[in-house]
Amino acid sequence: AKKICKVMDMSLDEGVPLISLNECAGAHIKEGTRSLAGFADIFRRNVQASGVVPQISAIYGPCAGGAVYSPALTDFTVMLKDSSYMFVTGPGVVKSVIGEEVSKEELGGASVHSFKSGVAHFAVEDEAESIHLIRELMGFLPSNNREEPPVGRCSDPPERTEPYLNQIVPENPRKPYDMYSVIKSIADDGYFLEVHRNWARNVIVALARMGGAPVGIVA
């Protein structure tokens, strides 16, 4: 915990993003309250860094107890399908306490947290895809709250017109229309990165670029 806190302090002092790769069984019972105090120090730094530097967590295996509270406090959480888990306590404890048998996936797998709880913002196939996603995500974000987001090259003319937008909204207000099509028509090269793709499907939250500049979209 001391080493982690030192890295987090350095991240906050220097204004650089904090990216953590997590796989931890939680607190050691033998260490008692000292272990819990170590986790508390980490949580305090998560709160201090909130809104100051980007915080991204990738879950690479089973994480329990204190090891999941910290990722849940960060800005974005990435989980691996079928191999990473986040739960306050594991299936063994659940069975011994309430007598209910539940699998790791049912208790805290990527499917649960990306579809039902919303704790996971992204669910990917493997570690390589998670690293690629984190790099892409950082391409939309500033290093800290004193910097501007990075502006990239734009091959899509910012002044172009999109006649499709004149037709997309139906005259009948009761008829639906495809918001994904709207977003694709206004984003550079029709590309956007959707956050929480599988959770709260009535709302689209995404990152895109317009004229090379990163923008956030809520639709």
Side-chain angles (χ1 to χ4, degrees), residues 46 57 59 67-75 77 86 119 121:
N46 284 133
S57 299
I59 311 300
V68 300
Y69 299 145
S70 177
L73 289 170
T74 58
D75 301 311
T77 302
M86 298 176 70
V119 171
H121 300 81

Side-chain angles (χ1 to χ4, degrees), residues 3-74:
K3 292 181 179 179
I4 294 173
C5 288
K6 186 176 181 180
V7 172
M8 297 176 78
D9 287 338
M10 181 181 66
S11 171
L12 196 57
D13 291 341
E14 298 184 8
V16 297
L18 181 63
I19 299 171
S20 62
L21 311 180
N22 301 270
E23 183 174 359
C24 177
H28 287 265
I29 295 178
K30 294 180 180 178
E31 296 177 4
T33 56
R34 292 179 61 190
S35 179
L36 299 178
F39 276 118
D41 287 337
I42 295 173
F43 306 156
R44 180 166 61 86
R45 286 163 173 80
N46 284 133
V47 174
Q48 289 175 330
S50 179
V52 180
V53 295
Q55 299 181 81
I56 302 174
S57 299
I59 311 300
Y60 279 179
C63 288
V68 300
Y69 299 145
S70 177
L73 289 170
T74 58

